[in-house]
């Protein structure tokens, strides 16, 4: 799987792999309008913090093209750009890259397009650097691993591979780099309710890469960790606040607590673009609330209300290391 399979800019429109139907169908969405893009983002057909940044930037180019065709004035264009930036609130990459691309609008459509394509290319390149740095750090931190054979087993959550990031991914990129180094035993993948990004997407990616893995219920994760089944927990992030608090897929916090209790590293792999100096702490990170039916259907009685928070906050104190493409942060604030 390469960048082009996940997200492509073709003849002024976006082609994206529809992640709602994977792994059972491989379907490409042809996104030609802002409405279609918002639908793809809110239904999680395109998802994962770095990919949201790339598709958001391309979305600005798309909006400029649609505006040219339909004769939008600048106020209408700005309103459409804002709709894209607001489509999901937690992943800082979306807003950041949308605003950066929008700043190019006065220079014309070609300049916006070039900036947006650069975001996608950069995400790919960054993920490789981050992955290698994370794998190197983990091998040092975990020594020979719990079996002493130099092979690590890693517990992970949600989907953080090429589908979420382009390139190698973040947490899954670190896992892939360990695998390439011959330093990976296997991966334990949380199913990641309610939308099952772990079961559907991570297991699919790991299968394609030939990486040994086992799928676990989310609720089993803390117990599995307590039983010494993993050398480390490695996850991605949707936003890291200036003080190092981490927003990531709901269920991440319980992994951090379990890792602390078991005395194993809890590592967050995220590009610098996911670190948000403007957000002082986790308390200021907006947490997306998603529709009830994602949780209630098909099992709950009709009329049951859900508490469907898409993300949780893991406090800095529970994070052993934050690995970016440039550094490994083990102490102090992340803001430079
Ligand atoms: O709701 P999603 O599927 O967009 O959530 C994705 C995650 O939580 C990922 O862990 C995060 O974006 C990091 S992706 C590299």
């Amino acid at each position: 799987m390469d960048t082009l399979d996940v997200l492509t800019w073709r003849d002024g429109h976006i082609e994206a792999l529809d992640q709602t139907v994977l792994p059972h169908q491989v379907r490409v969405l042809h996104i030609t309008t802002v409405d279609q893009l918002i639908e793809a983002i809110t239904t999680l057909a395109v998802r994962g913090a770095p990919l949201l940044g790339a598709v958001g930037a391309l979305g600005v180019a798309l909006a400029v093209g649609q505006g040219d065709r339909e004769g939008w004035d600048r106020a209408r264009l700005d309103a459409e750009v804002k709709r894209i930036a607001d489509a999901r609130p937690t992943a800082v990459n979306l807003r950041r890259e949308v605003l950066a691309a929008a700043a190019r609008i006065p220079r014309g459509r070609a300049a916006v397009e070039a900036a947006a394509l650069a975001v996608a290319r950069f995400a790919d390149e960054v993920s490789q650097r981050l992955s290698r740095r994370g794998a190197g750090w983990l091998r040092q931190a975990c020594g020979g691993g719990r079996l002493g054979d130099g092979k690590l087993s890693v517990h992970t959550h949600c989907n953080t591979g090429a589908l979420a990031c382009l390139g190698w991914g973040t947490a899954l990129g670190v896992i892939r780099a360990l695998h390439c180094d011959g330093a990976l035993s296997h991966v334990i993948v949380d199913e990641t309710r309610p939308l099952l990004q772990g079961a559907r997407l991570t297991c699919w990616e790991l299968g394609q890469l030939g990486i040994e893995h086992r799928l676990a219920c989310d609720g089993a994760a803390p117990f599995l960790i307590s039983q010494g089944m993993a050398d480390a927990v490695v996850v991605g992030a949707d936003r890291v606040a200036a003080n190092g608090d981490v927003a990531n897929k709901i269920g991440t916090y319980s992994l951090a607590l379990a890792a602390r209790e078991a005395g194993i590293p809890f590592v967050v792999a995220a590009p610098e673009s996911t670190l948000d100096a403007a957000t002082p702490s986790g308390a200021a990170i907006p947490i997306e609330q998603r529709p009830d039916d994602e949780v209630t259907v098909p099992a709950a009685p009709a009329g049951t209300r859900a508490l469907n928070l898409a993300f949780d906050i893991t406090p800095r104190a529970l994070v052993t290391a934050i690995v970016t493409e440039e550094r490994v942060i083990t102490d102090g604030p992340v803001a430079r």
Side-chain angles (χ1 to χ4, degrees):
M1 188 174 9
D2 62 25
T3 297
L4 292 181
D5 295 320
V6 178
L7 182 68
T8 310
W9 178 250
R10 196 185 304 283
D11 302 331
H13 75 273
I14 295 167
E15 290 181 358
L17 209 49
D18 181 351
Q19 298 191 30
T20 63
V21 296
L22 282 172
H24 305 295
Q25 275 182 57
V26 177
R27 182 167 77 195
V28 174
L29 294 173
H30 298 268
I31 299 170
T32 59
T33 67
V34 173
D35 281 349
Q36 290 169 349
L37 176 62
I38 303 282
E39 168 84 5
I41 292 174
T42 54
T43 58
L44 273 53
V46 286
R47 47 148 297 281
L51 187 69
L52 286 169
V55 84
L58 289 173
V60 177
L62 187 81
V64 171
Q66 190 180 355
D68 287 348
R69 287 195 306 277
E70 298 181 8
W72 296 350
D73 61 14
R74 182 62 205 247
R76 171 77 194 273
L77 180 57
D78 288 346
E80 296 296 315
V81 166
K82 181 172 182 317
R83 267 203 318 137
I84 301 169
D86 291 345
R88 293 192 76 192
T90 306
V92 70
N93 299 65
L94 176 62
R95 168 167 300 276
R96 169 169 286 163
E97 303 301 357
V98 166
L99 297 184
R104 299 286 191 104
I105 290 174
R107 298 199 214 167
R109 186 171 158 188
V112 176
E113 236 179 76
L117 288 169
V119 173
R121 268 197 304 276
F122 190 60
D124 187 343
E125 186 250 311
V126 154
S127 79
Q128 322 260 345
R129 281 196 277 143
L130 182 160
S131 301
R132 298 216 173 275
R133 188 180 297 278
W137 187 87
L138 261 181
R139 292 179 71 181
Q140 273 205 326
C142 297
R146 70 198 205 294
L147 300 179
D149 60 357
K151 290 185 186 283
L152 306 182
S153 49
V154 176
H155 197 119
T156 194
H157 195 62
C158 199
N159 173 263
T160 59
L163 291 169
C165 308
L166 306 171
W168 279 29
T170 55
L172 218 55
V174 172
I175 287 166
R176 183 170 172 172
L178 286 172
H179 174 69
C180 290
D181 292 348
L184 184 72
S185 164
H186 64 277
V187 186
I188 300 170
V189 182
D190 290 341
E191 58 178 352
T192 318
R193 279 196 50 84
L195 298 180
L196 303 175
Q197 290 94 327
R200 294 187 302 105
L201 307 177
T202 298
C203 289
W204 186 66
E205 285 199 51
L206 289 171
Q208 293 220 329
L209 294 167
I211 295 178
E212 183 79 19
H213 58 283
R214 293 282 185 283
L215 179 63
C217 299
D218 294 348
F223 181 66
L224 294 175
I225 291 168
S226 80
Q227 297 302 293
M229 304 277 283
D231 291 290
V233 175
V234 186
V235 298
D238 283 80
R239 189 186 301 225
V240 180
N243 73 341
D245 292 348
V246 174
N248 192 47
K249 179 56 57 190
I250 193 84
T252 300
Y253 176 49
S254 54
L255 299 181
L257 289 168
R260 170 60 54 93
E261 181 72 10
I264 62 171
F266 176 85
V267 177
V268 173
E272 291 282 333
S273 58
T274 299
L275 311 189
D276 183 16
T279 299
S281 74
I285 298 178
I287 303 287
E288 177 182 3
Q289 302 224 28
R290 294 192 54 84
D292 287 17
D293 63 2
E294 288 180 351
V295 177
T296 58
V297 174
T304 302
R305 295 299 315 278
L307 267 175
N308 189 10
L309 271 59
F311 301 96
D312 59 24
I313 305 288
T314 299
R316 173 69 181 96
L318 292 177
V319 179
T320 315
I322 299 168
V323 180
T324 80
E325 70 276 23
E326 291 178 13
R327 52 196 171 133
V328 179
I329 306 159
T330 52
D331 294 307
V334 302
R336 293 205 217 234

